[in-house]
Amino acid sequence: MSLFTDIKLPTGETYKQPIGLFINNEFVKSHSDELIETINPTNGELITSVYAANEQDIDIAVKAAREAYETKWSKTSGVERGELLYRLAELIEQERDILAKIDSLDAGKPYESNSQSDLSQIIELTKYFAGYSDKIKGSYLPISDEKFVYEIKEPYGVVGQIVPWNYPLAMASWKIQSALAAGNTIVIKSAENTPLSLLYFGQLIVKAGFPPGVVNIISGLGSIAGSAIASHEDVDKIAFTGSTQVGKHIQQAATSNLKAVTLECGGKSPSVVFKDSNLSNAAKWSALGIFYNTGQNCTANSRILVEEEVYDEFLTLFQEEIKKNWIVGDPFDDKTTVGPLISKVQLDRVQSYIKHGEEVEKLSKLEVGDSAIYKEQKGWFQNPIIFKDVPTDSKLFQEEIFGPVVTITKFSGFEDGLTKANNTKYGLGSAVFTNNIQKAHKFGRGLKAGTVWINSSNDEDIRASFGGYKLSGIGRELGESGIEVYTQTKAIHVNLSEE
Ligand code: NAP
Ligand code: MG
């Protein structure tokens, strides 16, 4: 079997897709010759198969990353790393359209928003970390006349990275670009559902001029390839995005050599709407917060809390907003803002929550929008669903659903709102809507979450840190934290005296 295959996109053009493991700047077969299939979630059809790594392949990739680190990358200056990353940003810009189309095909992401918003973020963060490469500083600590300490930031060495399917290229870019800027080499595993864009990206790594072994891209199963990376004795740091359950496995596997660990896990983020807010704005942002990427978002605002006096008014505005702007359909149709879910497994999972809400908990369900496409298509489509008057002990209020399903619950005043907002085991993102400046900041301080949005939701910026409280994770990515998590500190004590 060849290491490249021709893929015809729904837009008509054909492109060459690499399907091997990307090790030492080359695409190679896996040792077992085993393949995994990747399916188009829009129609349930096979797109292609790619080589899947086993433990032996991971070991080879880690050796390549180690060799590259010791012989080349650790000797490269920040300026050189920055130049390579700038070249990478230019190449991503040049290939923006095809990269967006690949993820729209493989992950069902609406092409319009993917090519605009997601790819813009990837390009922006690549330039941001390119600029950071030569600005990583240490510190100087005077101790006495004859003694001082200086602290320097050094890369970990070989970093393992494991990413999910909800933003295939963006999640990988958050991790790869910052780890490279900080001076590490990488073995990264894509999600088994979405291997294609990251393999294509491997070609840009070569074109940009990164030395062989600096970035190694692996397709494969979490239980085999992922767990081999997490437990590998020669991987110095592991960074993961995905479910809390797998995050816990990663942390355990990492104990073998006490790897440093960064985990971005699940969430059950609230959107809290006070009666003194701009309600139509709150409805607009709250809809974006849950329905962007079909609710497959770790920071999805899947719980909306509304102050009781404006509950009915908000609900009407929210439904109007969904009808107007959250349109289920084919990802390559310009009007589509809600594509299919990633897989049959996820669709069944989401629908089992909907069934539970209706049949077991007897909650009141509102189905919004035109469900025609969902009924006609063979793909994994799900309409936006609202459950109203949901109590805080409901399974739907407490568990991450990861689909276009949102609960709405009343609250009464500041304290009740805050208690309800914090009433889950997660703490990733929280949105609060109010026009009272004191209340907004006090509420923000009271929220147990790594990110708070005041009068917006899911409005990320790559210059700010991102990460979770409680079961939502450990560590931060992006912004200055993006460099911080990929460096370790060395304190060098200097004695100038003769004694
Ligand atoms: P997941 O199982 O946590 O997968 C995330 C990544 O971890 C994938 O690359 C996966 O590989 C890998 N993995 C799985 N088991 C592993 C193991 N034992 N050791 C090392 N790596 C392993 O998430 P999922 O199955 O894709 O989605 C399930 C749920 O996770 C979702 O419903 C959602 O609640 C949550 N999720 C959260 C985020 C987020 O951004 N926080 C993103 C995606 C999903 P495979 O692809 O082969 O499984
Ligand atoms: Mg796929």
Side-chain angles (χ1 to χ4, degrees):
M1 196 166 139
S2 158
L3 291 157
F4 291 82
T5 189
D6 286 339
I7 291 184
K8 188 158 192 256
L9 291 161
T11 43
E13 67 260 55
T14 299
Y15 79 99
K16 242 179 215 342
Q17 171 67 48
I19 55 163
L21 307 174
F22 181 73
I23 301 176
N24 261 327
N25 278 5
E26 282 175 1
F27 291 98
V28 296
K29 291 183 181 179
S30 57
H31 271 82
S32 63
D33 271 348
E34 243 173 76
L35 300 168
I36 44 174
E37 293 184 339
T38 187
I39 309 288
N40 178 350
T42 303
N43 57 21
E45 287 170 13
L46 176 72
I47 304 171
T48 188
S49 298
V50 300
Y51 282 98
N54 64 15
E55 286 88 351
Q56 203 183 348
D57 299 302
I58 296 299
D59 200 44
I60 290 167
V62 172
K63 284 200 171 79
R66 173 60 59 193
E67 167 85 7
Y69 179 75
E70 301 297 344
T71 62
K72 288 167 280 187
W73 201 239
S74 59
K75 302 182 188 346
T76 321
S77 70
V79 173
E80 288 168 290
R81 296 199 302 275
E83 278 170 3
L84 289 169
L85 281 164
Y86 268 120
R87 229 174 289 154
L88 181 64
E90 279 165 14
L91 289 164
I92 300 172
E93 221 153 4
Q94 281 165 24
E95 306 246 11
R96 171 187 198 126
D97 190 53
I98 182 73
L99 288 166
K101 282 177 178 157
I102 296 173
D103 269 351
S104 292
L105 174 72
D106 204 12
K109 296 171 78 65
Y111 168 71
E112 197 62 24
S113 60
N114 183 24
S115 66
Q116 294 310 313
S117 155
D118 296 13
L119 261 296
S120 297
Q121 188 200 57
I122 293 169
I123 293 162
E124 200 183 323
L125 78 83
T126 309
K127 291 178 182 165
Y128 175 86
F129 286 113
Y132 226 124
S133 301
D134 63 352
K135 295 171 191 67
I136 300 169
K137 292 191 296 242
S139 62
Y140 166 79
L141 306 168
I143 305 294
S144 68
D145 205 25
E146 295 186 312
K147 286 187 180 173
F148 65 90
V149 177
Y150 62 98
E151 289 185 340
I152 54 174
K153 298 280 181 196
E154 294 189 330
Y156 279 101
V158 176
V159 168
Q161 303 178 326
I162 298 175
V163 288
W165 41 257
N166 54 348
Y167 292 86
L169 192 59
M171 285 297 101
S173 294
W174 282 30
K175 292 188 172 19
I176 294 175
Q177 277 84 317
S178 54
L180 288 178
N184 301 277
T185 58
I186 291 165
V187 176
I188 184 166
K189 186 193 95 63
S190 56
E192 64 184 88
N193 287 320
T194 53
L196 301 182
S197 58
L198 203 44
L199 291 177
Y200 190 92
F201 178 82
Q203 300 176 111
L204 308 191
I205 291 289
V206 180
K207 277 192 205 158
F210 286 91
V214 171
V215 178
N216 303 280
I217 299 167
I218 301 299
S219 315
L221 302 181
S223 55
I224 299 172
S227 108
I229 295 173
S231 58
H232 200 289
E233 297 283 328
D234 202 30
V235 171
D236 303 301
K237 151 114 207 177
I238 181 100
F240 164 83
T241 298
S243 60
T244 296
Q245 193 193 356
V246 174
K248 289 181 181 176
H249 280 299
I250 304 267
Q251 195 175 19
Q252 267 162 5
T255 56
S256 64
N257 64 334
L258 289 188
K259 277 180 197 67
V261 177
T262 304
L263 304 174
E264 297 281 1
C265 298
K268 192 71 192 174
S269 300
S271 175
V272 183
V273 182
F274 280 98
K275 62 184 177 201
D276 58 8
S277 63
N278 175 336
L279 284 188
S280 51
N281 236 11
K284 187 189 86 179
W285 282 108
S286 299
L288 179 138
I290 177 63
F291 299 120
Y292 191 82
N293 212 35
T294 319
Q296 303 171 116
N297 223 336
C298 48
T299 48
N301 285 144
S302 51
R303 297 180 294 140
I304 303 182
L305 304 170
V306 188
E307 203 162 14
E308 54 194 353
E309 293 88 336
V310 293
Y311 185 85
D312 292 334
E313 193 185 341
F314 175 85
L315 192 55
T316 306
L317 289 168
F318 186 60
Q319 285 173 272
E320 281 168 8
E321 174 63 25
I322 300 172
K323 272 188 210 132
K324 193 165 130 217
N325 287 322
W326 297 96
I327 313 298
V328 180
D330 187 301
F332 283 94
D333 181 336
D334 286 356
K335 291 190 293 300
T336 298
T337 44
V338 181
L341 289 162
I342 187 68
S343 63
K344 175 81 169 69
V345 173
Q346 283 299 113
L347 179 65
D348 288 348
R349 207 185 112 123
V350 169
Q351 292 186 341
S352 77
Y353 274 105
I354 298 170
K355 200 162 170 231
H356 174 90
E358 271 187 296
E359 293 176 12
V360 181
E361 295 196 25
K362 312 276 185 223
L363 297 169
S364 161
K365 187 185 99 167
L366 302 171
E367 196 157 341
V368 194
D370 179 8
S371 61
I373 185 137
Y374 163 45
K375 305 264 149 51
E376 278 166 24
Q377 291 261 357
K378 277 188 271 140
W380 302 304
F381 291 89
Q382 173 59 57
N383 260 47
I385 300 287
I386 304 171
F387 280 100
K388 57 176 199 165
D389 303 319
V390 178
T392 56
D393 60 357
S394 161
K395 201 171 143 87
L396 275 64
F397 189 95
Q398 293 293 336
E399 295 183 14
E400 185 175 47
I401 300 174
F402 231 62
V405 180
V406 66
T407 63
I408 306 204
T409 304
K410 280 182 197 144
F411 72 91
S412 156
F414 187 99
E415 286 308 325
D416 186 41
L418 192 56
T419 306
K420 284 180 174 152
N422 286 333
N423 182 359
T424 75
K425 55 193 181 191
Y426 296 111
L428 202 50
S430 290
V432 54
F433 296 90
T434 170
N435 281 334
N436 177 324
I437 193 163
Q438 285 92 344
K439 194 197 282 180
H441 289 281
K442 271 193 191 156
F443 202 84
R445 292 286 288 273
L447 286 165
K448 293 188 168 60
T451 299
V452 170
W453 289 282
I454 295 176
N455 293 331
S456 70
S457 177
N458 279 267
D459 193 20
E460 265 154 27
D461 193 287
I462 55 111
R463 283 154 286 265
S465 68
F466 180 90
Y469 280 29
K470 302 195 270 184
L471 285 190
S472 292
I474 307 171
R476 297 290 177 269
E477 295 187 302
L478 299 181
E480 282 179 39
S481 309
I483 297 293
E484 189 67 30
V485 289
Y486 286 114
T487 53
Q488 51 192 339
T489 305
K490 181 183 279 174
I492 300 183
H493 296 246
V494 182
N495 177 12
L496 299 178
S497 79
E498 298 301 322
E499 294 163 18

